[in-house]
Amino acid sequence: MINLVEVTKYYPGQEQPAVDNLSLTIEKGETCVFVGPSGCGKSTTLRMINRMIEISSGKIYLDGKDILQSDPDQLRMGIGYVIQQIGLLPHRTIEENIAIVPRLHGWSKERIKHRVTELLELMGLDPEVERNKYPLQLSGGQMQRVGVARAMAADPPIMLMDEPFGAVDPIARNYLQDEFLRLQREIKKTICFVTHDINEAIKMGDKIAIYNKGAIVQHGTPQEILTNPANDFVKDFIGSDRMVKKLNLTCVEELVRPVSCLVNEGELSNAVDKLKETGADVCFVVDSSGKPVGYLTKEEVISLSDKITLEGLVQLVSSKGNAFTPGSTPLQNALSLMLEYDTEYLGIVQGDQLIGAISFKDIRKHMCRKEGE
Ligand code: ADP
Ligand code: MG
């Protein structure tokens, strides 16, 4: 656990503090993202935690121990640190770069070699190909991954990450974010993560601390902050698409409901009667292997003329032939699919099997629900 108590930092000659009487607790195993405009004191906060910068006043405790009571070098050996500039030593190989802290810990050569292999694999890099290269022989995204591997080398319980994915293109960035989230679910480090990008904060943070001028103006879960921005600054910082951003926090599987009306494509003509009989809003159609091929809605049936042919029916159903998505899809993407395919419903699939459905109305209801309902 990291505890900051009324921490203030004045740089020499500054009239305004870079960090102003800041108190914050980061629980063990939690990722807390510091987010805010440039110059608001995020990096300064981070660097006070590992004593790269000394505090002007206030206290910082790691697991209850005042950091001033630890030797700075000892302290830093227990804290992984990743920076945007990556900071790999250019004349050392990837292996040597990753091995810096384990060497300081006095690990044996074998143990270090084994750990480097393990970390490169974890980061999706081929150890035998990459370990003897020099940093400049790698792409930006690869270097960034080596930077993360280096910070994790001696398995520190705490990681400080200062815009760790800032130096790569959006595609690599998205990939690194996803990989890191996957990894964090296993390793459960206590992480302070700095970014100026609110989307990255929402994606990466268990908690978010929103900064303005050296102070935290709101601290809470992404859900809390998006639902109840504390003031106009937070509201502006999040952006007017707050509810659309909030769509990302929920996956369709949380709203999925069973399909109450289903026909096989061989018995498509039954769909019309079935919809009328059951009173269901929608009838899904599957092929003989259970794979969805489309659906028919009550409204469509009502507006159908009696003269509709079987071909006409097939066409109507298959015009929704793409409206299916796995349960892990965030609501934002689900909504995007509904707009793309101009459909009111999405079938939810596991592999290629239909397991449920979600409607536009379900999403709207969910988003308009008050907290705690
Ligand atoms: P952020 O990481 O949020 O962009 P910083 O913590 O780097 O912000 O900076 C906070 C404020 O402190 C800024 O006004 C910046 O100019 C100032 N500052 C940062 N580092 C130093 C330094 N080494 N010496 C003097 N002022 C600094
Ligand atoms: Mg910074």
Side-chain angles (χ1 to χ4, degrees):
M1 188 170 83
I2 307 173
N3 236 316
L4 292 91
V5 183
E6 297 174 2
V7 172
T8 296
K9 174 67 189 178
Y10 281 96
Y11 285 108
Q14 260 188 347
E15 287 198 0
Q16 293 299 319
V19 171
D20 188 4
N21 197 33
L22 184 146
S23 296
L24 177 69
T25 298
I26 298 142
E27 302 292 343
K28 192 170 155 49
E30 170 183 294
T31 301
C32 180
V33 179
F34 303 170
V35 65
S38 169
C40 64
K42 307 179 296 290
S43 298
T44 302
T45 308
L46 211 63
R47 301 176 74 188
M48 287 192 285
I49 296 172
N50 66 2
R51 294 190 62 186
M52 302 198 30
I53 298 175
E54 295 296 350
I55 308 168
S56 303
S57 69
K59 291 277 183 201
I60 298 180
Y61 303 93
L62 299 187
D63 289 330
K65 189 177 173 194
D66 186 342
I67 57 168
L68 294 181
Q69 282 167 10
S70 303
D71 169 70
D73 289 334
Q74 284 293 325
L75 180 80
R76 285 195 276 270
M77 278 166 65
I79 302 178
Y81 184 47
V82 190
I83 52 173
Q84 176 175 358
Q85 300 78 8
I86 307 168
L88 300 179
L89 301 171
H91 303 299
R92 304 268 183 89
T93 64
I94 299 309
E95 170 142 15
E96 288 164 344
N97 267 285
I98 296 174
I100 292 172
V101 176
R103 280 217 181 103
L104 292 174
H105 280 282
W107 289 17
S108 71
K109 271 192 177 146
E110 289 72 51
R111 187 172 170 202
I112 291 178
K113 190 163 192 300
H114 180 79
R115 180 66 177 153
V116 170
T117 305
E118 185 179 65
L119 282 165
L120 287 174
E121 277 171 359
L122 205 60
M123 291 291 137
L125 297 167
D126 183 342
E128 294 332 304
V129 176
E130 312 297 346
R131 69 192 316 143
N132 295 318
K133 284 191 182 166
Y134 289 88
L136 287 174
Q137 293 174 287
L138 304 185
S139 71
Q142 287 174 322
M143 270 202 262
Q144 203 103 56
R145 277 184 263 175
V146 174
V148 176
R150 182 183 56 176
M152 288 174 32
D155 204 19
I158 295 175
M159 302 266 289
L160 307 178
M161 309 181 77
D162 196 342
E163 312 227 7
F165 311 137
V168 292
D169 63 83
I171 294 173
R173 189 176 200 201
N174 210 16
Y175 174 81
L176 289 171
Q177 288 168 341
D178 289 340
E179 287 297 291
F180 195 77
L181 281 175
R182 194 181 50 76
L183 194 62
Q184 168 63 356
R185 277 196 282 276
E186 290 167 30
I187 59 179
K188 297 197 171 61
K189 305 281 180 197
T190 306
I191 300 175
C192 298
F193 188 113
V194 168
T195 180
H196 58 266
D197 175 356
I198 184 67
N199 289 316
E200 186 167 61
I202 292 166
K203 182 169 176 183
M204 304 305 285
D206 298 314
K207 292 275 181 67
I208 298 178
I210 300 195
Y211 273 68
N212 188 23
K213 297 183 185 153
I216 293 175
V217 287
Q218 190 167 11
H219 175 231
T221 62
Q223 185 86 18
E224 285 162 357
I225 288 177
L226 289 173
T227 307
N228 292 311
N231 56 27
D232 286 346
F233 173 82
V234 176
K235 226 178 202 170
D236 282 350
F237 191 74
I238 298 171
S240 56
D241 61 342
R242 172 159 83 80
M243 293 305 270
V244 175
K245 287 192 165 98
K246 210 173 137 181
L247 284 168
N248 253 340
L249 302 177
T250 308
C251 290
V252 292
E253 63 200 351
E254 292 172 51
L255 306 190
V256 66
R257 48 188 170 116
V259 171
S260 58
C261 186
L262 186 74
V263 298
N264 202 287
E265 64 179 339
E267 297 149 6
L268 191 54
S269 43
N270 292 347
V272 176
D273 290 339
K274 224 168 171 178
L275 270 171
K276 284 180 184 158
E277 278 165 29
T278 60
D281 295 332
V282 57
C283 180
F284 277 87
V285 183
V286 292
D287 70 10
S288 54
S289 66
K291 200 173 144 196
V293 294
Y295 65 76
L296 201 64
T297 66
K298 190 164 78 182
E299 269 105 66
E300 285 170 332
V301 167
I302 290 169
S303 63
L304 275 184
S305 90
D306 290 341
K307 295 195 195 75
I308 181 117
T309 59
L310 190 58
E311 277 96 80
L313 217 49
V314 168
Q315 219 166 46
L316 204 54
V317 167
S318 61
S319 68
K320 281 98 65 181
N322 286 322
F324 301 95
T325 196
S328 58
T329 309
L331 292 186
Q332 197 177 77
N333 301 43
L335 198 57
S336 178
L337 290 173
M338 287 173 172
L339 295 172
E340 182 175 347
Y341 302 132
D342 189 17
T343 64
E344 191 73 31
Y345 295 87
L346 279 182
I348 308 305
V349 289
Q350 194 163 38
D352 64 1
Q353 300 290 300
L354 183 70
I355 57 161
I358 182 174
S359 70
F360 183 81
K361 223 162 142 186
D362 294 335
I363 297 180
R364 207 180 68 195
K365 261 199 193 145
H366 173 77
M367 295 309 291
C368 298
R369 216 179 50 184
K370 299 277 176 295
E371 287 306 298
E373 265 178 33

